[in-house]
């Protein structure tokens, strides 16, 4: 069996990376939405961070990335 030409392999891998980036972006958005629900419920990012045993900065950065992406439009790509 003849191996695939390198150009085809590169193209396939680039398509895979694009799909993975899109999935990562979508997962990051869902996570940020959940974090925002936690902030509503618990009252602050610090409380959400404590509840999840995460740093306050990690929660804050995830929410800020999501808000920046949402403000820039639906076609923007921001990963976790």
């Amino acid at each position: 069996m003849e191996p695939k030409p390198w150009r085809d392999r590169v193209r396939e891998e680039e398509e895979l990376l694009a799909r993975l980036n899109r999935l990562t972006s979508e997962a990051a958005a869902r996570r940020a939405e959940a974090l925002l629900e936690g902030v509503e419920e618990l009252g602050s990012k610090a409380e959400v961070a404590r509840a999840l045993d995460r740093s306050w900065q990690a929660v804050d950065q995830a929410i800020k990335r999501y808000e920046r992406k949402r403000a820039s439009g639906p076609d923007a790509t921001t990963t976790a």
Side-chain angles (χ1 to χ4, degrees):
M1 186 166 108
E2 191 78 21
K4 287 185 181 181
W6 67 269
R7 286 185 176 91
D8 292 342
R9 294 193 326 259
V10 169
R11 188 178 324 103
E12 287 173 3
E13 296 305 325
E14 287 173 344
E15 290 169 3
L16 176 59
L17 287 171
R19 281 195 310 267
L20 291 172
N21 283 332
R22 188 182 67 253
L23 290 171
T24 300
S25 181
E26 292 168 0
R30 290 189 303 270
R31 176 177 177 250
E33 289 168 358
L35 290 170
L36 286 168
E37 287 178 29
V39 170
E40 268 185 45
E41 181 181 313
L42 300 178
S44 73
K45 293 174 185 175
E47 288 300 322
V48 171
R50 279 189 207 97
L52 297 173
D53 197 29
R54 301 281 196 282
S55 72
W56 176 87
Q57 292 88 354
V59 172
D60 184 57
Q61 288 175 1
I63 291 171
K64 283 182 179 176
R65 268 191 237 103
Y66 171 71
E67 290 172 340
R68 278 193 306 266
K69 180 181 176 191
R70 193 170 58 173
S72 68
D75 294 332
T77 56
T78 303
T79 56

